[in-house]
Amino acid sequence: MYDYCVIGGGIVGVATAHRLLATRPGASVLLVEKADGLAVHQTGHNSGVLHSGIYYAPGSLKARMCRRGAQWTKEFAAAQGIPYEVCGKLLVATDAAEHARMLALYERSVANGVEVELLDAAELVRREPRVTGVGALFVPSTGIIDYARVTVALAGEVRAAGGEIVLGAEITAVTETSDAVVVAGPTGSWRARRLVACAGLQADRVARLAGLRIPVRIVPFRGEYYQLPSDRKGLVNTLIYPIPDPELPFLGVHLSPTIDGELTVGPNAVLGLAREGYRKGSIDLRDAREILGYRGFHRVAAAHARTGLRELRNSLFKRGYLAECRRYCPELTLADLLPRAAGIRAQAVAHDGTLLHDFLVERTDRSVHVLNAPSPAATSALPIAEHIVARLDD
């Protein structure tokens, strides 16, 4: 029997296994992952941004963990020789309504202790001549990194400390008794004294397997990206973001330099009908049936119908997507939008239609389940792991 079993080979799961071994030397730790590799889903399909913590409600788990996570990740990357760059980020307001939201966001950033600079239109153009807007916020601490590389490095330390990682191991049953938890699937069965489930896109299903009556369901949203041509790589010097809608947990379409030297634009946020289907038009009948039959989704769809239709239109018609980008970078053309792999975000939706913005962790006597870990979960993975391990001791 293992001391601990972790379900999930994304960055949060691997960071949790890493934290367990760091704080409990000699403990036996097993990590099981359904895919044949690590960081296959959300960890390996994001913008690669080291977030600063500017957006999040003061006092929330996101706000508390993001700043610590960014610094902790940078320190780990430096020790491992993983490249990262602190390039800064501009959040650009393109009209009066966005400018008002920008000022409110500035106040929130101050409350969160994030260094931020308020720019007028002239200073924005001076810093980024090919970006236009009525004002902007500059966040100097934001950076870029490859989270898949961070995950692999963490996994290397897990193995070096005696941890075991089993890939290709789907879990279809979780049985908790008074002294152990047994997880099982087509490829095997494992017994542990404690369980941590960091199952991402399958988080609600794993929790239900364990007998939890959870108040949320995972609804997948596709984030579709484009890559700009190589001659456009110098278009901007920093990350360029829009001013986000505070009612939505999505940050909007942004220009993102990547650590490997590319320049991407995206993502949008379109309902996905397959939790792990990355090709456009992918449908999984079980996933689709659960989503379309969920009253929480119906309420989300009704509350955000206009936004959902706009995102769908922009997904179907590249000109609509381009229009989102040209609001702050008007020289982009259709020829600039080259194909790039999409991502899928696991968004927890409550029965009443609330889109959960913050991290959500539930527990039983012998298990902890991460039910919602949206952005900036990759940035915050190390302090999230610390929080999870502390919950095991509660």
Side-chain angles (χ1 to χ4, degrees):
M1 180 162 65
Y2 293 91
D3 292 315
Y4 303 97
C5 175
V6 178
I7 298 175
I11 192 169
V12 174
V14 177
T16 299
H18 185 271
R19 182 69 182 176
L20 284 166
L21 287 161
T23 57
R24 293 154 170 78
S28 55
V29 176
L30 168 72
L31 184 144
V32 292
E33 162 58 39
K34 181 176 72 170
D36 292 329
L38 299 172
V40 168
H41 295 297
Q42 294 180 102
T43 303
H45 288 83
N46 59 45
S47 301
V49 176
L50 273 163
H51 289 283
S52 59
I54 185 172
Y55 304 106
Y56 316 119
S60 66
L61 284 176
K62 278 188 175 184
R64 297 204 309 268
M65 292 182 179
C66 188
R67 289 183 64 199
R68 285 189 62 226
Q71 185 58 38
W72 204 341
T73 303
K74 292 170 188 174
E75 291 169 1
F76 179 80
Q80 294 286 326
I82 297 171
Y84 69 91
E85 180 183 347
V86 181
C87 56
K89 172 170 65 177
L90 281 165
L91 292 96
V92 179
T94 60
D95 57 31
E98 288 186 356
H99 192 270
R101 294 211 308 264
M102 181 189 79
L103 295 177
L105 188 58
Y106 175 77
E107 297 299 326
R108 173 171 283 192
S109 68
V110 171
N112 280 329
V114 177
E115 181 185 357
V116 62
E117 191 176 349
L118 193 60
L119 310 182
D120 61 16
E123 181 62 17
L124 168 63
V125 172
R126 189 189 71 78
R127 298 192 186 193
E128 289 286 1
R130 296 155 100 172
V131 173
T132 61
V134 297
L137 299 179
F138 178 62
V139 188
S141 60
T142 305
I144 50 178
I145 199 168
D146 182 342
Y147 286 112
R149 287 192 63 176
V150 175
T151 305
V152 170
L154 286 166
E157 292 203 343
V158 167
R159 292 187 176 101
E164 184 178 346
I165 297 176
V166 178
L167 303 176
E170 181 179 7
I171 300 303
T172 56
V174 179
T175 305
E176 183 171 335
T177 65
S178 61
D179 63 349
V181 182
V182 178
V183 299
T187 60
S189 175
W190 300 271
R191 184 180 178 90
R193 292 184 175 85
R194 295 281 188 274
L195 171 69
V196 179
C198 306
L201 288 159
Q202 307 296 336
D204 56 338
R205 290 173 175 166
V206 171
R208 291 198 298 271
L209 286 176
L212 274 74
R213 299 184 64 182
I214 57 174
V216 298
R217 182 166 295 177
I218 295 298
V219 175
F221 284 89
R222 284 175 53 82
E224 296 166 337
Y225 293 85
Y226 289 99
Q227 183 167 309
L228 273 61
S230 57
D231 61 357
R232 288 288 203 176
K233 290 180 182 178
L235 184 69
V236 294
N237 302 307
T238 59
L239 294 150
I240 308 295
Y241 274 62
I243 302 297
D245 182 341
E247 298 302 314
L248 295 172
F250 310 111
L251 299 180
V253 171
H254 43 271
L255 278 168
S256 302
T258 66
I259 198 64
D260 59 1
E262 302 296 335
L263 181 60
T264 68
V265 60
N268 58 359
V270 183
L271 175 67
L273 294 178
R275 295 195 187 198
E276 298 175 8
Y278 293 94
R279 295 184 62 181
K280 203 162 191 172
S282 295
I283 298 176
D284 180 284
L285 292 180
R286 179 192 179 191
D287 295 344
R289 185 169 59 248
E290 285 189 2
I291 295 164
L292 299 178
Y294 180 45
R295 68 179 182 180
F297 167 70
H298 296 164
R299 291 172 174 173
V300 168
H304 302 288
R306 180 177 296 179
T307 299
L309 289 173
R310 185 189 70 226
E311 293 292 301
L312 179 59
R313 180 198 67 204
N314 293 345
S315 173
L316 295 173
F317 303 104
K318 192 185 286 188
R319 287 187 182 277
Y321 199 110
L322 177 66
E324 294 289 324
C325 310
R326 294 187 66 176
R327 293 180 63 199
Y328 52 78
C329 191
E331 71 178 73
L332 291 176
T333 68
L334 283 175
D336 290 325
L337 302 185
L338 305 178
R340 187 176 175 90
I344 300 177
R345 171 176 174 147
Q347 176 61 53
V349 178
H351 297 328
D352 65 0
T354 301
L355 292 163
L356 271 67
H357 291 253
D358 207 0
F359 304 137
L360 177 63
V361 178
E362 298 285 352
R363 63 161 300 156
T364 68
D365 288 344
R366 290 194 167 271
S367 65
V368 171
H369 293 258
V370 180
L371 296 177
N372 197 50
S375 178
T379 300
S380 309
L382 292 168
I384 291 173
E386 181 182 56
H387 177 75
I388 290 168
V389 171
R391 290 293 300 271
L392 281 171
D393 293 331
D394 286 349

